[in-house]
Amino acid sequence: MFLRISGGAARAMLPVFLAALLLSACAAKDDADGAQDGMTISVSLRDVHRCSRISPEIQISGIPAGTTHFDVRLVEYGDQENFFGGGSWPNDGTSTIPEGGLTRHYRGPCPPAGQSRNYAFVVSAMGGRDIQPLAVRLYRFTQE
């Protein structure tokens, strides 16, 4: 796996990549059961979000009890993984991270002209001072 990110960003992304690996095992179980229990996310991507510092609106449902805030990352995955920033948003009871709410060095998906790339929003429900997320979900998409 090749990462084009600084040492500090690599340390910050390690928990996200580990969570993504664990999530794939959980997703396989959900698919096998034919049920989707727990937290779910939906992302409202529009043209304005392409190659932009404006993040899309993210809707979250089935929020685990004890969630104080959400940690969100945008990553490109495939032959190489790239981190496109993200941010934290308090669990304010609205179940929505508003458009433009992600501010931690966020840059929207921006593949080279004529190419498509695979991306994922990684949303972690965090509780208090806990390091372990209460739930993690991926929203995968392809951008052209």
Side-chain angles (χ1 to χ4, degrees):
M1 175 168 52
F2 176 77
L3 295 174
R4 282 194 285 171
I5 51 182
S6 69
R11 282 191 301 277
M13 284 302 300
L14 182 59
V16 174
F17 288 121
L18 292 175
L21 290 173
L22 291 173
L23 182 61
S24 63
C26 294
K29 180 183 181 298
D30 285 346
D31 290 344
D33 294 342
Q36 286 260 338
D37 295 331
M39 189 172 84
T40 60
I41 60 172
S42 64
V43 179
S44 301
L45 283 167
R46 299 183 295 133
D47 285 340
V48 70
H49 302 124
R50 180 183 167 84
C51 305
S52 171
R53 298 233 179 253
I54 302 170
S55 60
E57 178 180 281
I58 301 173
Q59 292 285 327
I60 307 164
S61 60
I63 299 169
T67 300
T68 58
H69 66 283
F70 302 98
D71 186 67
V72 183
R73 314 285 178 160
L74 175 62
V75 295
E76 177 186 351
Y77 63 94
D79 293 336
Q80 59 188 23
E81 283 77 27
N82 294 307
F83 172 62
F84 286 86
S88 291
W89 192 260
N91 181 12
D92 57 7
T94 64
S95 301
T96 301
I97 299 172
E99 184 175 62
L102 305 179
T103 58
R104 192 182 315 140
H105 309 290
Y106 179 83
R107 180 171 58 104
C110 194
Q115 296 182 21
S116 63
R117 299 283 169 88
N118 296 314
Y119 297 91
F121 280 98
V122 182
V123 179
S124 302
M126 306 299 292
R129 294 179 165 232
D130 294 337
I131 296 173
Q132 180 70 28
L134 301 171
V136 178
R137 292 295 181 265
L138 294 170
Y139 180 87
R140 296 175 192 236
F141 64 100
T142 300
Q143 182 76 50
E144 295 180 346

